[in-house]
Amino acid sequence: MSSIVGLDGWRHTHLDYIDSTNAEAMRLATEGDAGQLWITASEQTAGKARRGRGWVSKPGNLYASLLLFDVASPEVISNLPLVTAVALHRAILDGAPVREDQLRIKWPNDLLLDGKKLSGILLESTLDPAGRQAIVIGCGVNCSHFPDNPLYPATSLQAEGIVLQPEILFLKLAQHMAEMLAAWDRGNGFATIRRDWLARAKGVGEPLTARFEDGEITGIFRDMDEDGRLVLVADDGTEHRISAADIFFGNIRGLGA
Ligand code: BTN
């Protein structure tokens, strides 16, 4: 374990391989780690994605998880994936010759490069031995490869002709994440984060489909509200504020999704 150069109070452990950096961060939380700790791995043998799915984790991509304690009150914890998406967007633009209009955030937190999924974020939580809430924020970025048969069309930086080593991207992410968490200020600064997020978002004002376990709603992506929910005006004119769904832009038929 080492300190991160230039980032006082933040620590980092790199592992050659692990089942999942999120799982490792959760284990360390229950063993009494103090937090403000990043875990990265060259490879994950059981990488986790949202909704119980797996995350393909061969060497060459970034696998990073951040362990935090006592981050904020429970009502604003759902801001964190949005805060992280903005930090990751800034980190990639800072580290590689990517244009801002090429890299967009798909609600709530995936990054799309030229319309294809480049990264994912998985938030988990647990309690430490003293009963404090631990938050783990896991980030996976396709630096050099991407899965063959994803739910959503995917790509990597390398596939789009962009070179960015995971080690370099990690340092940028750690720096931007520290800045964004400070700006977020335990939820008090979410209005600023929301503006930053909307400026980087894909598809505001355009048609999309929100897919749930038990159905889907198609309509226009009107906004992201002050609680981070997606505001969707359905084809029948009703407004929906959505906290969790898989999102597809435009005509989703033929995607096999
Ligand atoms: C998603 O898009 O479904 C979220 C994927 C999150 C993947 C990252 S890779 C690093 C961290 N460790 C994991 O096991 N998952 C997250």
Side-chain angles (χ1 to χ4, degrees):
M1 191 171 307
S2 58
S3 305
I4 303 179
V5 178
L7 284 181
D8 273 356
W10 295 86
R11 295 167 303 139
H12 175 212
T13 296
H14 181 77
L15 305 163
D16 288 340
Y17 64 89
I18 191 74
D19 52 353
S20 148
T21 54
N22 265 34
E24 177 66 3
M26 301 271 273
R27 284 191 289 267
L28 290 171
T30 58
E31 288 164 12
D33 188 273
Q36 295 223 154
L37 171 68
W38 282 98
I39 317 272
T40 56
S42 302
E43 185 176 1
Q44 299 185 119
T45 53
K48 299 191 280 182
R50 276 173 296 175
R51 298 178 178 240
R53 297 171 188 136
W55 186 258
V56 176
S57 300
K58 295 180 290 179
N61 287 349
L62 176 66
Y63 311 110
S65 298
L66 175 60
L67 172 61
L68 297 170
F69 282 101
D70 293 332
V71 180
S73 59
E75 309 84 69
V76 295
I77 292 296
S78 60
N79 292 173
L80 281 170
L82 309 162
V83 173
T84 308
V86 174
L88 192 52
H89 188 277
R90 287 174 179 243
I92 292 172
L93 256 52
D94 193 1
V98 179
R99 291 191 324 275
E100 189 164 341
D101 65 321
Q102 270 184 289
L103 190 65
R104 309 305 292 170
I105 305 175
K106 171 174 169 282
W107 185 88
N109 57 37
D110 289 348
L111 294 190
L112 302 181
L113 180 60
D114 292 332
K116 290 171 276 183
K117 177 161 167 150
L118 180 72
S119 67
I121 292 168
L122 177 66
L123 193 92
E124 298 186 270
S125 72
T126 187
L127 296 178
D128 80 351
R132 290 187 310 158
Q133 190 185 39
I135 298 290
V136 172
I137 307 170
C139 305
V141 183
N142 300 337
C143 293
S144 65
H145 55 81
F146 59 93
D148 291 336
N149 187 20
L151 174 67
Y152 197 89
T155 191
S156 68
L157 290 165
Q158 187 174 301
E160 309 298 324
I162 297 155
V163 177
L164 180 55
Q165 302 300 331
E167 298 79 9
I168 306 291
L169 176 55
F170 167 67
L171 292 174
K172 301 281 184 196
L173 175 61
Q175 180 200 328
H176 285 279
M177 193 66 188
E179 286 171 14
M180 295 311 297
L181 284 171
W184 179 57
D185 186 20
R186 300 169 67 89
N188 296 315
F190 185 62
T192 309
I193 304 289
R194 175 172 170 259
R195 269 198 303 278
D196 279 4
W197 188 99
L198 283 165
R200 294 166 169 77
K202 172 161 171 71
V204 180
E206 294 174 14
L208 65 70
T209 295
R211 182 171 290 175
F212 312 95
E213 305 260 321
D214 56 355
E216 58 186 43
I217 307 172
T218 297
I220 299 295
F221 176 10
R222 180 69 72 222
D223 199 2
M224 181 178 77
D225 74 11
E226 43 296 321
D227 294 320
R229 292 173 300 183
L230 183 146
V231 181
L232 182 66
V233 179
D235 294 341
D236 66 2
T238 51
E239 185 184 282
H240 299 261
R241 292 185 180 236
I242 295 169
S243 301
D246 287 320
I247 298 302
F248 301 90
F249 295 101
N251 179 2
I252 63 168
R253 291 184 217 301
L255 271 182

